[in-house]
Amino acid sequence: MTDDMYPSRIGGREQIIPRKDPVIYADPATTHGPLNDGQLSFYRENGYLIFPEFMPQLVAPLRAETESLRHKLAGREELVCEPHDNSLRTIFNPCGFSGAYDRFFRHPQVLPIVHQLLGSEVYRMQSRINNKPAFHGRSFAWHSDFETWHVEDGMPRMRALTAWIMLNENHQHNGPLYVIPGSHHLYISCSGKTAEDNYKSSLREQKLGVPRAETMREILQGRDIHAITGKPGTLVIHECNLLHGSPDNISGDPRQVAMCVYNSVHN
């Protein structure tokens, strides 16, 4: 499309494009919410927020629900395996099969934060549980969620975010999420073209929409990589265009997080 502000995977060379959308959509002069000025400023600048041990009382019920979903969804495509073995990598759409997860991601302590950042009512675009078993959980390559959602799902603008909760401790050795603070101000127009039903393979191992090494070197000039770690029950929110990824789990501790993507009803 010639009027696409964020073209990607159109067969051309890879390039970095400045962001053309706001990071926070609510007007601070007229909108009230749970986030203070410091938190809003941090999110605007860095693209994420961490709420340590936000709702620890829900961890045990959600972990039990996760085990139930493993059995409930056995044999269905919502259970996604690791790229090189049959260990569980992702449970897709837990909110569609679990009342407990549906209620959590509608919780009155979570939704007001989302509304304040996106400046509107929202809908749940997708949900998933990412699972990295001890010693076997594999990496997720650097990527922007928005690039995938824009190219493959038709999301027009950067007015979405992901909220996720740690279901066990996320530490330096069990494959925590890595982010590049500030990278959400740039958009990487990736090379290549998207095959039909690309999601069926990309959920196991993402290859398209992954920036090249030379692009990442340019992005990392003057920027750091930050590992998001925390105790069970920690809530994290990251902006849709923030570059993130995660390494292999080389520890004896599993890593499990449940996440929900919220998109503005105007997007």
Side-chain angles (χ1 to χ4, degrees), residues 135-147:
F135 301 118
H136 296 291
R138 296 298 173 233
S139 64
F140 288 80
W142 287 117
H143 66 284
S144 152
D145 289 332
F146 175 75
E147 191 275 346

Side-chain angles (χ1 to χ4, degrees), residues 3-67:
D3 59 347
D4 186 359
M5 293 194 301
Y6 300 111
S8 190
R9 306 189 211 173
I10 54 177
R13 65 182 180 86
E14 193 160 281
Q15 59 181 318
I16 299 173
I17 300 172
R19 181 191 185 105
K20 300 177 177 68
D21 289 315
V23 176
I24 298 173
Y25 283 81
D27 181 354
T30 59
T31 303
H32 301 285
L35 301 178
N36 60 39
D37 289 344
Q39 290 170 314
L40 291 172
S41 178
F42 186 91
Y43 184 83
R44 185 181 292 107
E45 180 179 350
N46 295 284
Y48 67 96
L49 289 168
I50 303 173
F51 304 87
E53 299 181 69
F54 186 72
M55 301 179 78
Q57 74 278 11
L58 293 184
V59 169
L62 290 177
R63 289 180 65 176
E65 190 71 5
T66 300
E67 288 305 306

Side-chain angles (χ1 to χ4, degrees), residues 48-51 162-166 177 228 234-238:
Y48 67 96
L49 289 168
I50 303 173
F51 304 87
T162 300
W164 52 280
I165 185 172
M166 299 179 186
L177 190 76
I228 297 184
T234 294
L235 182 75
V236 181
I237 290 180
H238 72 259

Side-chain angles (χ1 to χ4, degrees), residues 145-192:
D145 289 332
F146 175 75
E147 191 275 346
T148 295
W149 300 335
H150 182 65
V151 172
E152 298 188 26
D153 300 321
M155 178 184 287
R157 307 293 290 268
M158 297 178 183
R159 196 171 181 177
L161 56 80
T162 300
W164 52 280
I165 185 172
M166 299 179 186
L167 298 181
N168 48 25
E169 183 173 359
N170 287 213
H171 57 71
Q172 293 282 355
H173 308 298
N174 67 346
L177 190 76
Y178 286 171
V179 300
I180 302 176
S183 61
H184 61 305
H185 294 295
L186 303 171
Y187 175 74
I188 299 177
S189 175
C190 296
S191 59

